[in-house]
Amino acid sequence: MHGLYGALSAARRIRVRGQVQGVGFRPFIWQLAKARGLRGDVCNDAEGVLIHVTGADLDGFEAAIVTEAPSLARVDAVESAAFRFDSSPDRFEIAGSGARGAETRVTPDAATCADCVADISGADPRRAGYAFTNCTHCGPRFTILRHLPYDRAQTSMAEFEMCEDCAAEYADPADRRFHAQPVACANCGPRLWFEVDGAEVSGDPIRLAAEHLDAGQILAIKGLGGFHLACDATDPEAVALLRTRKRRPGKPFALMGTLPHISAYGTPTDAELSLLSDPAAPIVLIAPGGNNLPDALAPGQARLGWMLPYTPLHHLLLAVVDRPLVMTSGNLSGEPQMIDNGEARDKLSGIVDAWLMHDRDIVRRLDDSVERATGLGPMVLRRARGRVPGTLPLPAGFEDAPQTTAYGAHLKSAICLLKNGQALLSHHLGDLDDALTWDEFRRADADYAELFDHDPELFACDLHPGYRSSQHAAARAGEAPLVEAQHHHAHLAACMGENGWGLEDGPVAGIILDGLGLGSDGTIWGGELLLGDYRRAERTAHLPVAPLIGGDAAQREPWRNLLVRLDQAGLSTMADARLADHPLELARQAATAGVNAPLSSSAGRLFDAFAAALGLCVAGQSYEGEAAMQLEALALAAPDALSDPYPFGPGLDPAQLFQAWALDAAAGIPAEVMAARFHAGLAAAFCAPARTLVESGEARAVALSGGCFQNATLLELCCRELDGLPVLIHSVAPANDGGLALGQALIAAAIHLR
Ligand code: ZN
Ligand code: ZN
Ligand code: FE
């Protein structure tokens, strides 16, 4: 920097890229510059934040931009060049946003920051006890946004006029609430009330809510991205009542508690604590410990899903209740979460006893994100509040990727947009068989396109013509070309993409262990070893196929999968004895005749079969993945047996595994040990040929994807088996079908970039 302009008039033009708008970046720069006695200006423009600065130690200033950035910012790049001011500035100022395209991007919603918690606890008299306190470092963003650019008039805060005090904070660059769009206080902002049978109850709404929770009642609580159903998580009767009223027999309920609560009822690891405390405040799966909670919260599961209070309302409520609460989505089974006061009154009236309501509209429905800390880092199981609309940079080679929209899967649907070298993977939308979710899916398609000024030049979807997402894509295919991506190839591509695997970085071996996906040969796949890149993939090995007897029924009823695997292993007598309660003859006839018994290599169904072998969910599962989750929970109880794999035969044949299990079962080996040996066997069976592909030079890395890799035990076992090789795993895009759209988009773009 001592070139052309020299030390005499050191001035720089500094460009900051990343998530740097709407997160308090300009006031941060302003404060940093003032503290260092620098002069110049800072503004937002279409590329990020732009700084012109002069003064001493500009290197130190640049370094501080990265190391001291606001908590919600993500700095991807700081680029600086010499600059010459027309006239030397006499101070540092925040310039108006550049005229052209200076759209302020919107960041994800963020949990209440420590300063705001202090404010509601009394540090700020205008905000003591105020449930809608926020600042530049925290608060609602995406869930209140109607249109871009992100400023107050375009959010559901528009109807609340700032009082003089709030307006002064909003205008003061030295204030923590400078340009915080949802800024509010008790004098001017949204209002909270407690309601029973459509009538407001007078009194402190937080106290009233706490009293009703204490009395074992069920509440609807309006939150950030939707309503929650809440009850006292320590009260078995309240939990049972909620299960009955919501008609949700077994699916785990999420819990909300403070750090002391979580530590009193669970044993969070350091990694889990840091994930809990992330500004996204996801639900984190944590092992129990210490005090007991009712089994009915998560029957048969080794972990409970916990989240910290993430709005001032939650903080205020938990401070009074002072015990963990169930906080599950406020919806009817299978439908999207409710966001509208009237709709919630209507539809939740049969479930809840009272409502904790407010008058700030929820514009965008966002479920709580669900995440898990593994030995290999965090993983996202459900990507939603706090994570969207975050973007991922595309790998090298995709710089010129066309604007692409990919429509994802069917049950865990989510869409993905590519534009300007970034991928935007939408929030979790859910099961498209549900009519309201299907409406929401189509709305999301239009909505994301509008928000991000996205004009698709290319569409992508799954190969399966029965997915509603594929049908939606086909209906739009007149507007732009459509690429149908094979399901497991898309899982592989999603994993490569989020790991930054470049377009020309060469082939990868993909161990794809999944539920069901249509294969390129017309059969149903799901336990595959693929070899390929973004453009193409071949199937080099797979689990031997087994009939899905009864089609969809085979998904719900694990005994059907056990029957076929035992018959294939020559263990029919054992099947007769163990499954005597089920219509075996009819089932076998259907399998033999191939009537409503499509062939599948699904690893998910192999998990179901083995779970049933251990007596788990034999007759049926009450939600997708229940049997497999219980099987993992069992395996965790026998860690030593994780190094004693069951054998697989040549061609990944699980017959030997079932034969070895039959001997163990006859010898009275504990179920935990058998569950662990199953996990180890599956990992060893797939990792051996994957290792060969890398060692022979045919593949340059191994990617692990598909819904079964939500199982951290399986993931860790595979990584151990693949030790010494480059291994790609998921961390920000779900390994399940929630990440599929990212892979589809990359495949479509790669084919078009050829
Ligand atoms: Zn704050
Ligand atoms: Zn105010
Ligand atoms: Fe899948």
Side-chain angles (χ1 to χ4, degrees):
M1 277 314 298
H2 296 281
L4 199 50
Y5 300 100
L8 185 66
S9 60
R12 289 184 196 175
R13 176 186 190 277
I14 302 171
R15 154 73 61 205
V16 189
R17 298 180 196 278
Q19 182 172 291
V20 292
Q21 298 185 353
V23 293
F25 214 86
R26 288 173 304 157
F28 153 69
I29 294 294
W30 181 83
Q31 282 162 5
L32 197 63
K34 282 184 88 89
R36 292 167 165 262
L38 305 179
R39 290 162 291 125
D41 57 64
V42 56
C43 70
N44 278 339
D45 68 6
E47 291 177 65
V49 162
L50 186 62
I51 304 162
H52 302 104
V53 64
T54 183
D57 188 21
L58 295 183
D59 286 339
F61 174 69
E62 275 189 35
I65 289 175
V66 177
T67 56
E68 296 173 27
S71 55
L72 296 184
R74 189 195 72 230
V75 176
D76 291 343
V78 177
E79 300 155 5
S80 89
F83 180 74
R84 187 173 216 165
F85 283 97
D86 289 341
S87 58
S88 181
D90 56 1
R91 60 200 173 105
F92 197 91
E93 60 184 14
I94 296 179
S97 294
R100 168 196 55 85
E103 69 173 36
T104 303
R105 290 291 304 271
V106 63
T107 54
D109 302 272
T112 307
C113 73
D115 289 333
C116 284
V117 172
D119 286 347
I120 63 173
S121 312
D124 176 351
R126 273 163 55 230
R127 296 189 171 89
Y130 183 56
F132 304 93
T133 299
N134 62 78
C135 74
T136 317
H137 308 300
C138 74
R141 294 284 193 281
F142 196 47
T143 51
I144 58 169
L145 179 75
R146 293 208 164 95
H147 305 283
L148 283 175
Y150 174 64
D151 56 40
R152 190 177 178 101
Q154 308 269 36
T155 71
S156 59
M157 284 302 293
E159 40 271 52
F160 301 95
E161 198 183 333
M162 277 184 234
C163 68
E164 272 178 31
D165 292 333
C166 284
E169 292 166 335
Y170 183 88
D172 178 1
D175 195 279
R176 209 172 87 240
R177 296 192 167 90
F178 175 71
H179 278 214
Q181 304 303 342
V183 68
C185 73
N187 302 326
C188 65
R191 194 177 78 88
L192 188 69
W193 70 89
F194 190 74
E195 182 179 313
V196 179
D197 293 335
E200 183 174 339
V201 180
S202 63
D204 175 359
I206 295 289
R207 295 242 157 241
L208 288 164
E211 284 166 20
H212 284 252
L213 289 165
D214 277 351
Q217 293 198 351
I218 295 168
L219 262 54
I221 298 180
K222 188 174 182 181
L224 204 53
F227 276 82
H228 280 119
L229 299 175
C231 73
D232 179 352
T234 66
D235 178 348
E237 286 174 27
V239 174
L241 185 65
L242 178 55
R243 286 223 175 269
T244 311
R245 289 195 190 162
K246 207 188 172 194
R247 297 199 191 119
R248 178 157 142 165
K251 197 172 179 185
F253 284 144
L255 305 176
M256 181 177 281
T258 61
L259 281 176
H261 295 146
I262 297 174
S263 299
Y265 292 94
T267 50
T269 62
D270 288 347
E272 287 159 354
L273 288 170
S274 90
L275 204 49
L276 281 167
S277 309
D278 187 282
I283 294 169
V284 179
L285 303 188
I286 294 171
N291 302 330
N292 283 326
L293 285 167
D295 285 339
L297 290 171
Q301 298 304 322
R303 289 179 156 72
L304 290 170
W306 286 95
M307 59 187 148
L308 291 174
Y310 58 82
T311 69
L313 191 165
H314 297 149
H315 281 282
L316 294 166
L317 183 62
L318 281 170
V320 179
V321 175
D322 198 20
R323 76 190 72 166
L325 296 178
V326 168
M327 289 287 260
T328 186
S329 296
N331 60 357
L332 304 182
S333 188
E335 291 187 357
Q337 194 178 14
M338 278 159 220
I339 58 173
D340 176 73
N341 290 4
E343 186 192 19
R345 280 186 191 110
D346 230 34
K347 288 195 160 183
L348 297 177
S349 59
I351 299 179
V352 308
D353 301 296
W355 283 258
L356 186 57
M357 294 287 237
H358 63 72
D359 58 359
R360 186 179 71 203
D361 286 347
I362 299 172
V363 178
R364 269 150 222 292
R365 187 190 319 272
L366 278 186
D367 288 301
D368 295 312
S369 291
V370 182
E371 307 190 0
R372 185 168 180 180
T374 75
L376 301 149
M379 91 163 88
V380 175
L381 307 180
R382 182 168 75 193
R383 186 181 151 84
R385 176 190 49 75
R387 298 299 180 198
V388 287
T391 57
L392 300 167
L394 294 182
F398 285 95
E399 292 80 3
D400 299 323
Q403 292 192 40
T404 304
T405 305
Y407 287 110
H410 185 80
L411 289 178
K412 289 187 165 66
S413 69
I415 66 177
C416 182
L417 275 55
L418 305 188
K419 184 182 172 181
N420 292 344
Q422 300 278 316
L424 180 121
L425 181 59
S426 81
H427 63 286
H428 164 87
L429 289 157
D431 178 355
L432 298 182
D433 281 329
D434 175 73
L436 293 177
T437 306
W438 171 228
D439 288 344
E440 184 78 4
F441 175 87
R442 285 174 296 176
R443 194 156 45 237
D445 182 26
D447 186 42
Y448 277 103
E450 192 219 299
L451 267 183
F452 299 100
D453 192 20
H454 190 265
D455 188 10
E457 301 162 271
L458 185 60
F459 292 113
C461 69
D462 196 89
L463 211 53
H464 198 311
Y467 285 7
R468 277 184 152 172
S469 50
S470 303
Q471 293 161 2
H472 181 72
R476 292 200 66 180
E479 303 165 45
L482 169 64
V483 173
E484 294 172 346
Q486 196 279 321
H487 190 97
H488 302 103
H489 183 204
H491 275 305
L492 169 61
C495 188
M496 291 159 64
E498 80 155 273
N499 284 282
W501 192 262
L503 181 58
E504 308 300 345
D505 282 354
V508 172
I511 298 178
I512 315 295
L513 302 179
D514 200 31
L516 306 177
L518 182 59
S520 51
D521 62 355
T523 67
I524 298 168
W525 295 6
E528 317 302 310
L529 179 62
L530 301 183
L531 175 63
D533 55 22
Y534 292 105
R535 297 182 177 99
R536 73 193 74 78
E538 60 172 302
R539 194 185 190 204
T540 67
H542 58 86
L543 289 173
V545 293
L548 297 167
I549 301 169
D552 286 348
Q555 296 238 64
R556 295 186 300 267
E557 300 178 11
W559 69 268
R560 293 169 185 266
N561 303 290
L562 179 59
L563 174 66
V564 294
R565 290 297 183 189
L566 289 182
D567 282 354
Q568 287 178 339
L571 297 166
S572 295
T573 326
M574 199 150 178
D576 293 341
R578 294 215 159 212
L579 301 173
D581 297 347
H582 301 282
L584 301 187
E585 270 333 293
L586 276 175
R588 282 174 169 139
Q589 282 165 17
T592 310
V595 176
N596 195 18
L599 295 176
S600 146
S601 58
S602 168
R605 298 298 81 79
L606 185 67
F607 264 92
D608 291 353
F610 198 79
L614 301 188
L616 304 173
C617 305
V618 180
Q621 321 188 60
S622 73
Y623 58 93
E624 192 212 344
E626 182 179 15
M629 286 165 73
Q630 293 198 12
L631 190 61
E632 187 196 359
L634 264 187
L636 287 168
D640 290 348
L642 290 172
S643 45
D644 185 17
Y646 278 137
F648 272 68
L652 299 170
D653 188 352
Q656 288 189 18
L657 176 152
F658 282 99
Q659 287 153 5
W661 158 77
L663 294 176
D664 273 1
I669 300 293
E672 292 80 3
V673 170
M674 298 190 281
R677 297 190 69 193
F678 170 81
H679 279 77
L682 189 63
F686 273 88
C687 290
R691 174 177 283 282
T692 305
L693 287 174
V694 177
E695 289 176 348
S696 69
E698 290 174 87
R700 298 199 43 232
V702 183
L704 306 178
S705 190
C708 297
F709 282 107
Q710 297 172 95
N711 180 325
T713 307
L714 180 68
L715 179 72
E716 287 164 11
L717 283 165
C718 285
C719 287
R720 199 193 295 170
E721 290 286 332
L722 297 168
D723 188 38
L725 304 182
V727 179
L728 313 179
I729 62 172
H730 286 282
S731 56
V732 292
N736 61 45
D737 283 3
L740 205 68
L742 172 63
Q744 293 171 348
L746 292 169
I747 289 170
I751 289 171
H752 276 255
L753 285 168
R754 179 195 305 265

